Amino acid sequence: MNFDLTGEQVQIRDTVRDFARREIAPRAAHHDETGEFPYDALRGMARLGLFALPFPEGDGGAGGDFLSYCLVLEEVARADASVAITLEAAVSLGIAPIVEFGTAEQRARWLPQLLGGEGLWAFGLTESEAGSDAGGTQTRAVRDGGDFVINGRKVFITNAGTDISAGVTLTAVTGVDKGGRKQISAIAVERGTAGYTQGPRYRKLGWHASDTRELIFDDCRVPTANLVGPEGGGFRQFLHILEAGRVAIAALAVGVAQACLDASLEYSAQRRQFGAAIATFQATQFKLADMATQIELARLMTHKAACIIDDGREPGMYASMAKLHASEVATAAANQAVQIHGGYGFMEESRVARYYRDVKVNEIGEGTSEIQRILIAREVLRPYLADV
Protein backbone atom coordinates (compact mmCIF):
# COMPACT_ATOMS: atom_id res chain seq x y z
CA MET A 1 0.00 0.00 0.00
CA ASN A 2 1.55 3.25 -1.17
CA PHE A 3 0.50 6.47 0.54
CA ASP A 4 2.65 8.70 -1.69
CA LEU A 5 1.06 11.12 -4.12
CA THR A 6 1.82 10.77 -7.82
CA GLY A 7 4.09 13.28 -9.50
CA GLU A 8 1.10 14.92 -11.17
CA GLN A 9 -0.75 15.21 -7.86
CA VAL A 10 2.29 16.77 -6.19
CA GLN A 11 2.60 19.26 -9.04
CA ILE A 12 -1.09 20.24 -8.76
CA ARG A 13 -0.83 20.60 -4.98
CA ASP A 14 2.34 22.67 -5.12
CA THR A 15 1.05 24.90 -7.91
CA VAL A 16 -2.13 25.67 -5.98
CA ARG A 17 -0.21 26.09 -2.72
CA ASP A 18 1.99 28.72 -4.34
CA PHE A 19 -1.02 30.46 -5.90
CA ALA A 20 -2.94 30.44 -2.61
CA ARG A 21 -0.02 31.88 -0.67
CA ARG A 22 0.61 34.63 -3.23
CA GLU A 23 -2.89 35.61 -4.31
CA ILE A 24 -5.42 34.41 -1.74
CA ALA A 25 -3.82 34.55 1.71
CA PRO A 26 -2.70 38.22 1.55
CA ARG A 27 -6.31 39.37 1.00
CA ALA A 28 -8.06 36.90 3.30
CA ALA A 29 -8.26 39.25 6.29
CA HIS A 30 -9.57 42.08 4.10
CA HIS A 31 -12.28 39.91 2.60
CA ASP A 32 -13.21 38.61 6.04
CA GLU A 33 -13.51 42.12 7.45
CA THR A 34 -15.38 43.69 4.53
CA GLY A 35 -17.36 40.70 3.28
CA GLU A 36 -16.32 41.51 -0.28
CA PHE A 37 -16.77 38.58 -2.63
CA PRO A 38 -13.32 37.35 -3.82
CA TYR A 39 -13.75 37.78 -7.59
CA ASP A 40 -9.98 38.13 -8.12
CA ALA A 41 -9.34 34.78 -6.42
CA LEU A 42 -12.01 33.13 -8.58
CA ARG A 43 -10.44 34.50 -11.74
CA GLY A 44 -7.09 33.14 -10.62
CA MET A 45 -8.56 29.72 -9.88
CA ALA A 46 -10.27 29.76 -13.27
CA ARG A 47 -6.93 30.46 -14.96
CA LEU A 48 -5.53 27.37 -13.25
CA GLY A 49 -8.48 25.28 -14.45
CA LEU A 50 -9.63 24.41 -10.95
CA PHE A 51 -13.36 24.55 -11.72
CA ALA A 52 -12.86 21.95 -14.46
CA LEU A 53 -10.32 19.80 -12.63
CA PRO A 54 -12.27 16.67 -11.56
CA PHE A 55 -14.57 16.38 -14.59
CA PRO A 56 -14.19 14.29 -17.77
CA GLU A 57 -12.49 15.83 -20.77
CA GLY A 58 -15.49 14.82 -22.87
CA ASP A 59 -17.59 17.32 -20.93
CA GLY A 60 -14.96 20.05 -21.19
CA GLY A 61 -13.28 19.16 -17.91
CA ALA A 62 -9.60 18.64 -17.18
CA GLY A 63 -9.89 14.89 -16.55
CA GLY A 64 -8.23 15.09 -13.14
CA ASP A 65 -8.87 12.72 -10.27
CA PHE A 66 -10.92 13.45 -7.18
CA LEU A 67 -7.91 13.22 -4.88
CA SER A 68 -6.24 16.05 -6.80
CA TYR A 69 -9.39 18.11 -6.33
CA CYS A 70 -9.21 17.45 -2.57
CA LEU A 71 -5.56 18.52 -2.52
CA VAL A 72 -6.62 21.76 -4.20
CA LEU A 73 -9.36 22.41 -1.65
CA GLU A 74 -6.98 21.80 1.25
CA GLU A 75 -4.46 24.31 -0.08
CA VAL A 76 -7.09 26.95 -0.86
CA ALA A 77 -8.72 26.52 2.57
CA ARG A 78 -5.32 26.81 4.20
CA ALA A 79 -5.25 30.35 2.78
CA ASP A 80 -8.94 31.32 3.06
CA ALA A 81 -11.92 29.12 3.90
CA SER A 82 -14.35 31.53 2.23
CA VAL A 83 -12.62 31.09 -1.11
CA ALA A 84 -12.42 27.34 -0.58
CA ILE A 85 -16.14 26.93 0.09
CA THR A 86 -16.91 29.07 -2.95
CA LEU A 87 -14.88 26.67 -5.09
CA GLU A 88 -16.24 23.57 -3.36
CA ALA A 89 -19.87 24.61 -3.71
CA ALA A 90 -19.33 25.58 -7.35
CA VAL A 91 -17.69 22.26 -8.24
CA SER A 92 -19.19 19.62 -5.93
CA LEU A 93 -22.70 21.04 -5.66
CA GLY A 94 -23.13 23.25 -8.72
CA ILE A 95 -21.36 21.57 -11.61
CA ALA A 96 -21.40 17.92 -10.51
CA PRO A 97 -25.21 17.38 -10.75
CA ILE A 98 -25.21 18.74 -14.31
CA VAL A 99 -22.24 16.59 -15.34
CA GLU A 100 -23.60 13.43 -13.74
CA PHE A 101 -27.31 13.73 -14.41
CA GLY A 102 -27.82 16.47 -16.99
CA THR A 103 -28.91 15.86 -20.57
CA ALA A 104 -26.54 16.46 -23.46
CA GLU A 105 -28.36 19.71 -24.19
CA GLN A 106 -28.09 20.86 -20.57
CA ARG A 107 -24.39 20.05 -20.41
CA ALA A 108 -23.72 21.87 -23.69
CA ARG A 109 -25.73 24.87 -22.54
CA TRP A 110 -24.38 25.43 -19.04
CA LEU A 111 -21.07 23.65 -18.60
CA PRO A 112 -18.76 25.82 -20.74
CA GLN A 113 -19.20 28.92 -18.56
CA LEU A 114 -19.25 26.92 -15.32
CA LEU A 115 -16.15 24.83 -16.04
CA GLY A 116 -14.37 27.99 -17.18
CA GLY A 117 -15.16 29.74 -13.89
CA GLU A 118 -17.11 32.44 -15.72
CA GLY A 119 -20.34 31.52 -13.96
CA LEU A 120 -21.38 29.93 -10.68
CA TRP A 121 -24.20 27.43 -10.24
CA ALA A 122 -25.90 26.82 -6.90
CA PHE A 123 -27.38 23.77 -5.21
CA GLY A 124 -30.85 24.27 -3.72
CA LEU A 125 -31.65 21.56 -1.19
CA THR A 126 -32.07 23.04 2.29
CA GLU A 127 -35.34 24.58 3.45
CA SER A 128 -36.45 25.98 6.79
CA GLU A 129 -38.24 22.69 7.54
CA ALA A 130 -36.01 20.41 5.47
CA GLY A 131 -32.37 20.48 6.52
CA SER A 132 -31.11 17.15 7.82
CA ASP A 133 -34.53 15.80 6.82
CA ALA A 134 -34.05 16.50 3.12
CA GLY A 135 -37.06 14.33 2.35
CA GLY A 136 -39.22 16.96 4.05
CA THR A 137 -38.96 19.24 1.02
CA GLN A 138 -41.92 21.62 0.72
CA THR A 139 -41.01 23.40 -2.51
CA ARG A 140 -43.47 22.36 -5.24
CA ALA A 141 -43.15 22.16 -9.01
CA VAL A 142 -46.45 21.65 -10.82
CA ARG A 143 -46.65 20.77 -14.50
CA ASP A 144 -48.49 23.30 -16.63
CA GLY A 145 -48.29 22.34 -20.28
CA GLY A 146 -44.64 22.21 -21.20
CA ASP A 147 -43.51 24.00 -18.05
CA PHE A 148 -42.98 23.48 -14.34
CA VAL A 149 -44.40 26.21 -12.09
CA ILE A 150 -42.26 26.33 -8.94
CA ASN A 151 -43.23 27.76 -5.56
CA GLY A 152 -41.13 27.59 -2.41
CA ARG A 153 -38.06 28.86 -0.59
CA LYS A 154 -34.54 27.53 -0.14
CA VAL A 155 -32.24 28.67 2.66
CA PHE A 156 -28.47 28.81 3.26
CA ILE A 157 -27.68 28.60 -0.46
CA THR A 158 -24.07 29.27 -1.48
CA ASN A 159 -23.03 31.12 -4.66
CA ALA A 160 -26.58 32.15 -5.59
CA GLY A 161 -26.36 35.95 -5.61
CA THR A 162 -22.96 36.97 -6.94
CA ASP A 163 -22.42 39.01 -10.09
CA ILE A 164 -21.52 35.79 -11.93
CA SER A 165 -24.18 33.48 -10.45
CA ALA A 166 -25.90 31.74 -13.36
CA GLY A 167 -28.55 29.54 -11.78
CA VAL A 168 -29.46 26.80 -9.33
CA THR A 169 -30.43 23.14 -9.39
CA LEU A 170 -33.13 22.67 -6.75
CA THR A 171 -35.21 19.88 -5.31
CA ALA A 172 -38.97 20.16 -5.56
CA VAL A 173 -41.95 17.88 -5.04
CA THR A 174 -43.38 17.05 -8.47
CA GLY A 175 -45.99 14.53 -7.37
CA VAL A 176 -46.52 11.39 -5.28
CA ASP A 177 -45.69 7.78 -6.00
CA LYS A 178 -48.08 4.83 -5.80
CA GLY A 179 -47.43 4.56 -2.08
CA GLY A 180 -48.39 8.19 -1.49
CA ARG A 181 -44.81 9.29 -0.83
CA LYS A 182 -43.42 12.54 -2.16
CA GLN A 183 -41.84 12.37 -5.59
CA ILE A 184 -38.87 14.73 -5.40
CA SER A 185 -37.22 15.90 -8.61
CA ALA A 186 -34.22 18.06 -9.48
CA ILE A 187 -34.91 21.10 -11.67
CA ALA A 188 -32.50 23.71 -13.02
CA VAL A 189 -33.53 27.36 -12.83
CA GLU A 190 -31.50 30.03 -14.59
CA ARG A 191 -30.92 33.35 -12.91
CA GLY A 192 -33.17 36.02 -14.35
CA THR A 193 -36.14 33.67 -14.68
CA ALA A 194 -39.34 35.49 -13.70
CA GLY A 195 -40.44 34.56 -10.19
CA TYR A 196 -36.92 33.59 -9.07
CA THR A 197 -35.39 36.07 -6.62
CA GLN A 198 -32.51 36.03 -4.14
CA GLY A 199 -32.71 37.40 -0.62
CA PRO A 200 -29.98 39.57 0.93
CA ARG A 201 -26.72 37.97 2.02
CA TYR A 202 -26.83 36.37 5.43
CA ARG A 203 -24.75 37.88 8.23
CA LYS A 204 -22.75 34.81 9.20
CA LEU A 205 -20.40 33.83 12.04
CA GLY A 206 -17.69 32.87 9.55
CA TRP A 207 -17.09 32.50 5.82
CA HIS A 208 -17.75 36.24 5.53
CA ALA A 209 -16.58 36.49 1.92
CA SER A 210 -18.71 33.57 0.79
CA ASP A 211 -22.07 34.41 -0.78
CA THR A 212 -24.95 32.74 1.11
CA ARG A 213 -28.62 33.63 0.62
CA GLU A 214 -32.22 32.58 0.71
CA LEU A 215 -33.83 31.84 -2.65
CA ILE A 216 -37.50 32.55 -3.30
CA PHE A 217 -39.61 30.95 -6.05
CA ASP A 218 -42.98 32.59 -6.64
CA ASP A 219 -44.84 31.07 -9.61
CA CYS A 220 -41.45 30.59 -11.23
CA ARG A 221 -41.99 29.01 -14.63
CA VAL A 222 -39.30 26.90 -16.33
CA PRO A 223 -39.49 24.43 -19.23
CA THR A 224 -39.88 20.76 -18.34
CA ALA A 225 -36.65 20.32 -20.32
CA ASN A 226 -34.91 21.81 -17.25
CA LEU A 227 -35.59 18.59 -15.33
CA VAL A 228 -32.18 17.24 -14.29
CA GLY A 229 -32.25 13.45 -14.33
CA PRO A 230 -35.47 11.42 -14.22
CA GLU A 231 -38.60 12.80 -12.63
CA GLY A 232 -38.76 11.58 -9.05
CA GLY A 233 -35.01 10.88 -9.00
CA GLY A 234 -33.93 14.14 -7.39
CA PHE A 235 -33.69 12.88 -3.84
CA ARG A 236 -31.43 9.94 -4.75
CA GLN A 237 -29.34 12.17 -7.00
CA PHE A 238 -28.71 14.73 -4.29
CA LEU A 239 -27.79 12.07 -1.73
CA HIS A 240 -25.22 10.78 -4.21
CA ILE A 241 -23.87 14.27 -4.83
CA LEU A 242 -23.63 14.93 -1.09
CA GLU A 243 -21.45 11.88 -0.52
CA ALA A 244 -18.68 13.26 -2.71
CA GLY A 245 -19.36 16.73 -1.32
CA ARG A 246 -18.68 15.47 2.20
CA VAL A 247 -15.24 14.27 1.16
CA ALA A 248 -14.58 17.70 -0.34
CA ILE A 249 -15.69 19.39 2.90
CA ALA A 250 -13.34 17.08 4.79
CA ALA A 251 -10.48 18.32 2.62
CA LEU A 252 -11.51 21.91 3.26
CA ALA A 253 -11.57 21.23 7.01
CA VAL A 254 -8.11 19.67 6.88
CA GLY A 255 -6.85 22.82 5.17
CA VAL A 256 -8.16 25.12 7.90
CA ALA A 257 -6.84 22.77 10.59
CA GLN A 258 -3.41 22.87 8.95
CA ALA A 259 -3.58 26.66 8.88
CA CYS A 260 -4.25 26.60 12.63
CA LEU A 261 -1.18 24.44 13.17
CA ASP A 262 0.95 26.62 10.87
CA ALA A 263 0.02 29.74 12.83
CA SER A 264 0.56 28.02 16.18
CA LEU A 265 4.00 26.72 15.26
CA GLU A 266 5.11 30.13 14.04
CA TYR A 267 3.69 32.04 17.01
CA SER A 268 4.90 29.62 19.68
CA ALA A 269 8.44 29.76 18.33
CA GLN A 270 8.42 33.57 18.53
CA ARG A 271 6.38 34.26 21.67
CA ARG A 272 8.55 34.42 24.80
CA GLN A 273 7.43 33.99 28.38
CA PHE A 274 9.55 33.36 31.47
CA GLY A 275 12.65 33.99 29.38
CA ALA A 276 11.98 31.33 26.74
CA ALA A 277 9.90 30.67 23.63
CA ILE A 278 6.61 29.07 24.63
CA ALA A 279 7.35 26.34 22.05
CA THR A 280 9.92 25.01 24.53
CA PHE A 281 7.26 24.43 27.18
CA GLN A 282 5.91 20.90 27.36
CA ALA A 283 2.32 22.12 27.72
CA THR A 284 2.58 23.87 24.35
CA GLN A 285 4.45 21.01 22.73
CA PHE A 286 1.70 18.56 23.71
CA LYS A 287 -0.92 20.79 22.08
CA LEU A 288 1.14 21.02 18.89
CA ALA A 289 1.80 17.28 18.82
CA ASP A 290 -1.87 16.44 19.28
CA MET A 291 -2.87 18.90 16.57
CA ALA A 292 -0.34 17.51 14.11
CA THR A 293 -1.35 13.92 14.80
CA GLN A 294 -5.09 14.49 14.47
CA ILE A 295 -4.66 16.56 11.30
CA GLU A 296 -2.61 13.83 9.67
CA LEU A 297 -5.25 11.25 10.60
CA ALA A 298 -7.97 13.46 9.10
CA ARG A 299 -5.90 13.95 5.95
CA LEU A 300 -5.38 10.19 5.52
CA MET A 301 -9.10 9.48 6.01
CA THR A 302 -9.95 12.13 3.45
CA HIS A 303 -7.46 10.73 0.94
CA LYS A 304 -8.86 7.23 1.41
CA ALA A 305 -12.41 8.40 0.74
CA ALA A 306 -11.22 10.35 -2.31
CA CYS A 307 -9.40 7.27 -3.65
CA ILE A 308 -12.59 5.23 -3.26
CA ILE A 309 -14.36 7.76 -5.47
CA ASP A 310 -11.52 7.60 -7.98
CA ASP A 311 -11.91 3.81 -8.04
CA GLY A 312 -15.52 4.28 -9.16
CA ARG A 313 -17.03 3.08 -5.90
CA GLU A 314 -19.54 4.82 -3.66
CA PRO A 315 -17.67 6.35 -0.68
CA GLY A 316 -20.63 5.93 1.69
CA MET A 317 -19.45 5.34 5.23
CA TYR A 318 -15.91 6.51 4.50
CA ALA A 319 -17.17 9.86 3.24
CA SER A 320 -19.11 10.29 6.48
CA MET A 321 -16.12 9.23 8.59
CA ALA A 322 -13.79 11.63 6.80
CA LYS A 323 -16.21 14.54 7.04
CA LEU A 324 -17.04 13.85 10.68
CA HIS A 325 -13.47 13.45 11.85
CA ALA A 326 -11.92 16.24 9.77
CA SER A 327 -14.54 18.82 10.72
CA GLU A 328 -14.26 18.05 14.43
CA VAL A 329 -10.46 18.01 14.25
CA ALA A 330 -10.54 21.44 12.60
CA THR A 331 -12.75 22.81 15.36
CA ALA A 332 -10.44 21.39 18.02
CA ALA A 333 -7.36 22.72 16.22
CA ALA A 334 -8.84 26.21 16.01
CA ASN A 335 -9.65 26.11 19.72
CA GLN A 336 -6.09 25.10 20.60
CA ALA A 337 -4.64 27.69 18.21
CA VAL A 338 -6.51 30.47 20.00
CA GLN A 339 -5.35 29.06 23.35
CA ILE A 340 -1.73 29.02 22.24
CA HIS A 341 -2.02 32.60 21.00
CA GLY A 342 -3.54 33.65 24.33
CA GLY A 343 -5.03 37.14 24.46
CA TYR A 344 -3.75 37.90 20.98
CA GLY A 345 -5.74 34.95 19.64
CA PHE A 346 -8.90 36.60 20.94
CA MET A 347 -8.22 39.72 18.90
CA GLU A 348 -9.75 40.01 15.44
CA GLU A 349 -6.45 41.06 13.86
CA SER A 350 -5.16 37.57 14.62
CA ARG A 351 -5.71 35.10 11.80
CA VAL A 352 -6.55 32.33 14.28
CA ALA A 353 -9.60 34.34 15.34
CA ARG A 354 -10.83 34.04 11.75
CA TYR A 355 -10.05 30.32 11.68
CA TYR A 356 -11.99 29.89 14.92
CA ARG A 357 -15.08 31.48 13.36
CA ASP A 358 -14.71 29.71 10.03
CA VAL A 359 -14.40 26.10 11.19
CA LYS A 360 -17.65 25.50 13.06
CA VAL A 361 -19.84 25.37 9.96
CA ASN A 362 -17.90 22.34 8.68
CA GLU A 363 -19.68 20.32 11.38
CA ILE A 364 -23.03 21.50 10.01
CA GLY A 365 -23.00 21.98 6.23
CA GLU A 366 -23.51 19.04 3.83
CA GLY A 367 -24.70 16.85 6.69
CA THR A 368 -24.27 17.58 10.38
CA SER A 369 -21.96 15.56 12.62
CA GLU A 370 -25.06 13.94 14.09
CA ILE A 371 -26.22 12.81 10.66
CA GLN A 372 -22.75 11.44 9.87
CA ARG A 373 -22.81 9.40 13.07
CA ILE A 374 -26.23 8.01 12.16
CA LEU A 375 -24.95 6.99 8.71
CA ILE A 376 -21.79 5.41 10.12
CA ALA A 377 -23.70 3.53 12.81
CA ARG A 378 -26.16 2.26 10.21
CA GLU A 379 -23.33 0.74 8.19
CA VAL A 380 -21.38 -0.83 11.04
CA LEU A 381 -24.59 -2.29 12.54
CA ARG A 382 -25.94 -3.62 9.25
CA PRO A 383 -24.61 -7.19 9.73
CA TYR A 384 -26.12 -7.37 13.22
CA LEU A 385 -29.48 -5.62 12.88
CA ALA A 386 -31.53 -6.56 9.85
CA ASP A 387 -33.80 -3.53 10.13
CA VAL A 388 -31.06 -0.86 10.39
Side-chain angles (χ1 to χ4, degrees):
M1 185 178 296
N2 184 4
F3 291 95
D4 292 336
L5 301 175
T6 67
E8 183 177 0
Q9 289 166 342
V10 170
Q11 183 178 19
I12 290 170
R13 182 200 64 191
D14 291 351
T15 297
V16 175
R17 179 179 294 175
D18 180 64
F19 163 78
R21 286 176 174 172
R22 287 186 294 104
E23 299 193 31
I24 298 178
R27 293 185 58 79
H30 171 77
H31 285 139
D32 177 67
E33 183 177 354
T34 64
E36 292 178 15
F37 191 73
Y39 291 105
D40 287 346
L42 265 66
R43 284 190 286 268
M45 293 191 295
R47 288 195 301 271
L48 292 176
L50 302 189
F51 292 93
L53 178 61
F55 298 112
E57 293 179 354
D59 287 313
D65 57 19
F66 198 84
L67 177 54
S68 293
Y69 168 55
C70 288
L71 296 172
V72 165
L73 285 173
E74 179 180 339
E75 294 303 327
V76 174
R78 195 171 175 180
D80 188 344
S82 288
V83 176
I85 191 57
T86 300
L87 175 64
E88 190 276 339
V91 172
S92 295
L93 304 184
I95 300 173
I98 298 173
V99 169
E100 296 202 35
F101 304 111
T103 65
E105 189 278 332
Q106 289 169 349
R107 295 198 302 274
R109 180 176 180 179
W110 293 315
L111 287 182
Q113 65 170 327
L114 303 181
L115 293 171
E118 297 172 357
L120 296 174
W121 203 267
F123 177 86
L125 177 65
T126 305
E127 300 180 4
S128 58
E129 298 298 327
S132 296
D133 178 18
T137 298
Q138 297 298 313
T139 297
R140 302 270 170 179
V142 178
R143 283 183 178 268
D144 183 19
D147 295 334
F148 282 116
V149 180
I150 306 170
N151 284 281
R153 306 171 84 96
K154 298 292 182 177
V155 298
F156 311 139
I157 308 304
T158 303
N159 290 345
T162 74
D163 292 347
I164 60 172
S165 293
V168 59
T169 303
L170 58 84
T171 50
V173 178
T174 53
V176 294
D177 62 19
K178 293 180 180 179
R181 292 167 296 193
K182 291 178 181 177
Q183 187 181 56
I184 298 175
S185 303
I187 302 171
V189 182
E190 292 180 290
R191 190 176 185 182
T193 302
Y196 168 36
T197 57
Q198 301 89 39
R201 288 179 61 178
Y202 291 111
R203 185 169 174 259
K204 306 188 298 288
L205 173 68
W207 287 358
H208 288 169
S210 166
D211 181 85
T212 316
R213 300 171 188 262
E214 180 182 28
L215 303 183
I216 303 99
F217 303 89
D218 186 8
D219 287 337
C220 178
R221 184 179 291 269
V222 301
T224 55
N226 282 24
L227 183 70
V228 179
E231 188 164 356
F235 184 68
R236 290 186 298 275
Q237 291 169 209
F238 273 57
L239 290 181
H240 170 75
I241 291 297
L242 282 173
E243 283 191 335
R246 286 165 183 158
V247 182
I249 290 294
L252 188 156
V254 170
V256 181
Q258 184 65 54
C260 291
L261 179 58
D262 294 342
S264 298
L265 290 168
E266 179 182 345
Y267 182 80
S268 64
Q270 296 173 352
R271 173 65 168 167
R272 298 182 65 82
Q273 290 286 280
F274 306 104
I278 64 171
T280 64
F281 302 153
Q282 191 177 70
T284 303
Q285 292 175 350
F286 281 8
K287 293 184 190 316
L288 297 171
D290 288 345
M291 289 167 70
T293 300
Q294 292 301 317
I295 292 167
E296 188 62 17
L297 285 170
R299 181 177 289 115
L300 289 172
M301 293 180 74
T302 302
H303 287 191
K304 177 175 181 176
C307 287
I308 290 173
I309 293 174
D310 284 328
D311 287 342
R313 296 180 285 148
E314 293 292 331
M317 179 178 69
Y318 295 102
S320 291
M321 286 179 168
K323 199 265 187 185
L324 172 67
H325 185 64
S327 62
E328 295 191 349
V329 164
T331 299
N335 185 54
Q336 291 289 30
V338 171
Q339 191 70 20
I340 289 170
H341 282 70
Y344 180 61
F346 196 65
M347 300 298 109
E348 282 291 2
E349 66 261 26
S350 168
R351 53 182 165 156
V352 297
R354 182 174 79 252
Y355 303 154
Y356 189 86
R357 290 185 283 100
D358 280 342
V359 293
K360 182 59 185 177
V361 70
N362 294 320
E363 298 181 69
I364 299 170
E366 298 195 36
T368 64
S369 292
E370 290 76 13
I371 290 295
Q372 304 318 311
R373 287 185 166 90
I374 289 171
L375 296 173
I376 294 165
R378 183 179 296 165
E379 289 302 313
V380 298
L381 285 168
R382 195 176 297 280
Y384 302 94
L385 300 175
D387 58 347
V388 169

